[in-house]
Amino acid sequence: AVGGGLGARAGLLDGRAIRLSIEAGRVRRVECKDLALKRYVESFMAEAKDRDRVALLSLGANLGVREPLGEIVHDENMPGLHLALGDTVPSRTGATWTAYGQLAFASGGADVDLDGMPLIRRARYVRFV
């Protein structure tokens, strides 16, 4: 799922996944079969300074969320890797930089490794740390 104005209308991104290539904390390339989604993400990043920076990285922790809905507020809570670009909410995170606006992404089927060992597989925790 993707947030923002297009996110709720886009729904589930099955077959239209957005791939962000990130280097040194900044998005360097956006890939997506859906050109409207690709342009939406690229436009968000181009509209203001530091919107291409990774602002937040989190792991969903609600084990009861079993399936994504394509709605960011729901999907970012299911086990998986989630990230946001732009606003770091410095008053809560202590970050020394921020950007105007935030675009969130939730991956409902991502595999996540921690220190080289499996942590999440197919949106289920396989070990706890």
Side-chain angles (χ1 to χ4, degrees), residues 46-62:
E47 287 175 354
K49 183 180 184 303
D50 288 334
R51 280 185 163 188
D52 63 338
R53 290 181 76 173
V54 174
L56 169 83
L57 182 69
S58 66
L59 299 173
N62 189 332

Side-chain angles (χ1 to χ4, degrees), residues 31-88:
E31 298 172 63
C32 185
K33 292 178 183 178
D34 184 326
L35 294 181
L37 280 173
K38 182 180 190 293
R39 282 191 294 268
Y40 180 76
V41 174
E42 291 172 336
S43 175
F44 170 85
M45 293 188 305
E47 287 175 354
K49 183 180 184 303
D50 288 334
R51 280 185 163 188
D52 63 338
R53 290 181 76 173
V54 174
L56 169 83
L57 182 69
S58 66
L59 299 173
N62 189 332
L63 303 178
V65 179
R66 310 279 299 167
E67 297 291 329
L69 298 178
E71 175 56 55
I72 194 71
V73 175
H74 173 274
D75 293 355
E76 67 187 0
N77 292 296
M78 71 181 298
L81 180 67
H82 316 301
L83 67 90
L85 304 175
D87 185 12
T88 61

